[in-house]
Amino acid sequence: MGSILTIAAWAAGVIAAIVGLLVVFWKAYFLRKPERKIPKKGIVSPANGKVVKIIDFSGEKANVEKGLLGKVKVMTKDVAQKGKIIVIMMTPFNVHYQRAPLDGEVVGQKHEEGKLLNAVKGAEGCRASFENEKNTITIKSGKMTVKVVQVAGFLARRIESYVKVKQKIHKGQTIGRINLGSQVLLVIPEMKIRVKEGDTVVDGETIIAG
């Protein structure tokens, strides 16, 4: 009986040690926030990851597909009549913090929970779709308005924002975090784009446009 209790105590100690190491690893790696060299010119990337799409938009809104079933509805009319949506995909191994793409003032912020939509029957049969949870931060810089949209995924279901409406922010400032990574959209007016699909971008450092 004594040996069984000893083994059980040893096993409990091993499990506790593993859990402790995982917590330390989580804080040291997944929650890391390295220093960035912020360029003086241009609109910088709000996220660390890969540019998977560059979408032209015109009109009041645009729909961005995410994965096989997800989609994100983005209001664009308060940014410009025509412009670009830069879609940056993040993995759990990218830096999870988001940064301001330019100096300005937060003039709007809206958090929307994800929701399951009705099944849609198409050529590939009947399938369900859902709108991802997202948080939209609208920034005004002079006469220009841009948006940073934090999008949660299946694993990343918690979005954090570190800014509020009427707050002055500077380029490269940390404005939020998505746990475990997911996707970030940068919505900007029509201008010269300095990245292409497939490029890896660094939050606060890589010049996206301008």
Side-chain angles (χ1 to χ4, degrees):
M1 184 67 178
S3 60
I4 294 176
L5 292 175
T6 300
I7 293 173
W10 176 82
V14 170
I15 293 172
I18 292 173
V19 171
L21 287 173
L22 288 174
V23 170
V24 171
F25 179 72
W26 170 266
K27 290 183 177 180
Y29 185 78
F30 287 100
L31 300 184
R32 71 195 187 281
K33 188 169 67 172
E35 292 292 327
R36 301 302 194 198
K37 294 182 179 180
I38 314 300
K40 293 182 179 180
K41 296 183 179 180
I43 296 174
V44 298
S45 177
N48 174 216
K50 179 184 286 188
V51 177
V52 293
K53 288 182 183 178
I54 299 176
I55 302 170
D56 293 299
F57 73 80
S58 61
E60 295 187 353
K61 60 184 178 181
N63 288 321
V64 179
E65 293 185 357
K66 186 181 187 304
L68 295 175
L69 303 177
K71 74 173 185 178
V72 182
K73 186 182 296 182
V74 182
M75 300 304 296
T76 57
K77 64 179 180 179
D78 50 348
V79 172
Q81 283 297 313
K82 292 184 178 181
K84 305 283 188 185
I85 300 175
I86 315 299
V87 183
I88 302 169
M89 181 65 69
M90 302 163 60
T91 73
F93 301 102
N94 291 123
V95 173
H96 299 164
Y97 290 92
Q98 288 77 59
R99 295 177 183 267
L102 74 179
D103 296 327
E105 179 181 349
V106 177
V107 295
Q109 182 163 212
K110 184 177 182 181
H111 180 268
E112 298 172 77
E113 296 290 345
K115 60 182 178 180
L116 182 67
L117 303 177
N118 292 331
V120 178
K121 189 173 183 179
E124 299 179 356
C126 187
R127 69 171 188 169
S129 63
F130 64 91
E131 287 186 6
N132 295 75
E133 176 193 356
K134 67 179 183 290
N135 184 60
T136 303
I137 301 171
T138 305
I139 304 167
K140 190 170 183 61
S141 179
K143 295 182 179 180
M144 180 169 56
T145 300
V146 305
K147 286 185 175 182
V148 176
V149 185
Q150 301 167 282
V151 184
F154 179 73
L155 290 176
R157 295 188 178 185
R158 186 182 176 191
I159 295 174
E160 298 178 10
S161 173
Y162 302 151
V163 295
K164 56 186 178 181
V165 175
K166 296 185 179 180
Q167 179 179 341
K168 301 287 187 181
I169 57 175
H170 58 267
K171 184 193 298 186
Q173 177 179 334
T174 303
I175 59 174
R177 187 179 76 187
I178 308 173
N179 289 335
L180 289 179
S182 185
Q183 189 167 285
V184 174
L185 313 180
L186 176 62
V187 187
I188 58 176
E190 192 68 50
M191 65 179 69
K192 183 176 181 179
I193 304 299
R194 299 184 179 275
V195 294
K196 63 183 183 300
E197 293 181 1
D199 283 357
T200 297
V201 292
V202 178
D203 53 299
E205 285 192 354
T206 304
I207 297 177
I208 294 288

